[in-house]
Amino acid sequence: DSQISEATQQRVRQVAADLRYIPNVAARSLVLQSSATFGLMTPDVTDPIHGQVVTGFQQRAAERGYSVILANGFRDVETERRTLREFAAHRVAGVAVMGSVLRQTEVKRLLSPSPTLFIGSDHIPAAGTDLDLARGCVRPDDRDGMDQVVAHLIERGYRTVAYVSGSSGANQIIRRDALIAALAARGAPEPGVFLADDAD
């Protein structure tokens, strides 16, 4: 509870408005060791799906009194690192990282102590199959989604399927492997797999 009376608070607000006072957010962040700002890094905001996420993220942040610093990582390791250092320098209250190609442990180290949420990380581990940290990772259920797609195609009589991959990140690998498994489970032949850049 504030120890300053409501009348005094109102007078201070009125004087601030009369003087057109603008709070120094940088100074406030130094005192609080955090800002009322979130960081959001996407691979490329021109992608329609990423654009929808950005819009929803900014709307929800604004509802809670937060602003958002937005940056594109462009699936480039050095661009992502530079962006994350900038977020840390701004002492953001938290960061959402979409489709990053950096190791999640490196991202967390660069942003510490700000909490970090990974959305569909595209980092591919050198060994093992663990694509996500135990906590703080959100990924769509691509395996079930691909199983539903294959069931629909088989139901409609299709037997030969091709898969055109948009990139070589973790999300594309999960989807490709899920497609192959779903087709194999139904006795259908393995799909043709193509990269979008190679398709004519």
Side-chain angles (χ1 to χ4, degrees):
D1 288 328
S2 174
Q3 296 182 8
I4 302 169
S5 73
E6 181 58 38
T8 302
Q9 290 180 45
Q10 186 56 41
R11 280 197 305 275
V12 170
R13 281 191 212 103
Q14 187 57 54
V15 169
D18 292 344
L19 295 173
R20 296 186 181 154
Y21 171 74
I22 299 172
N24 185 326
V25 174
R28 181 181 182 275
S29 329
L30 286 172
V31 172
L32 299 177
Q33 296 295 301
S34 180
S35 65
T37 306
F38 290 129
L40 174 60
M41 184 174 74
T42 71
D44 183 352
V45 76
T46 61
D47 179 291
I49 298 296
H50 299 159
Q52 289 176 15
V53 171
V54 168
T55 300
F57 190 91
Q58 287 188 303
Q59 287 172 338
R60 296 302 170 267
E63 287 170 8
R64 288 156 180 81
Y66 285 83
S67 58
V68 176
I69 300 173
L70 174 65
N72 292 303
F74 299 116
R75 299 189 193 285
D76 176 72
V77 166
E78 286 311 315
T79 302
E80 287 189 7
R81 283 186 182 129
R82 188 171 51 254
T83 295
L84 297 173
R85 286 188 198 104
E86 288 173 12
F87 287 162
H90 281 89
R91 299 178 189 267
V92 291
V95 179
V97 178
M98 292 178 61
S100 174
V101 294
L102 289 172
R103 288 187 328 274
Q104 294 156 344
T105 51
E106 179 181 0
V107 172
K108 286 184 77 68
R109 181 181 53 75
L110 287 169
L111 292 170
S112 181
S114 295
T116 308
L117 171 68
F118 296 93
I119 305 170
S121 171
D122 252 351
H123 171 70
I124 305 169
T129 56
D130 231 353
L131 295 171
D132 293 322
L133 297 174
R135 293 175 47 200
C137 297
V138 176
R139 191 179 294 280
D141 190 350
D142 286 320
R143 289 180 180 90
D144 183 59
M146 197 57 79
D147 194 64
Q148 290 180 48
V149 167
V150 168
H152 176 77
L153 291 172
I154 298 292
E155 227 175 70
R156 299 290 183 279
Y158 295 98
R159 292 291 173 260
T160 306
V161 176
Y163 178 70
V164 180
S165 172
S167 74
S168 59
N171 289 318
Q172 294 301 330
I173 291 170
I174 291 169
R175 291 174 193 146
R176 182 203 63 210
D177 291 352
L179 173 66
I180 291 168
L183 287 167
R186 289 168 175 82
E190 203 167 294
V193 178
F194 306 93
L195 287 174
D197 293 343
D198 300 334
D200 292 326

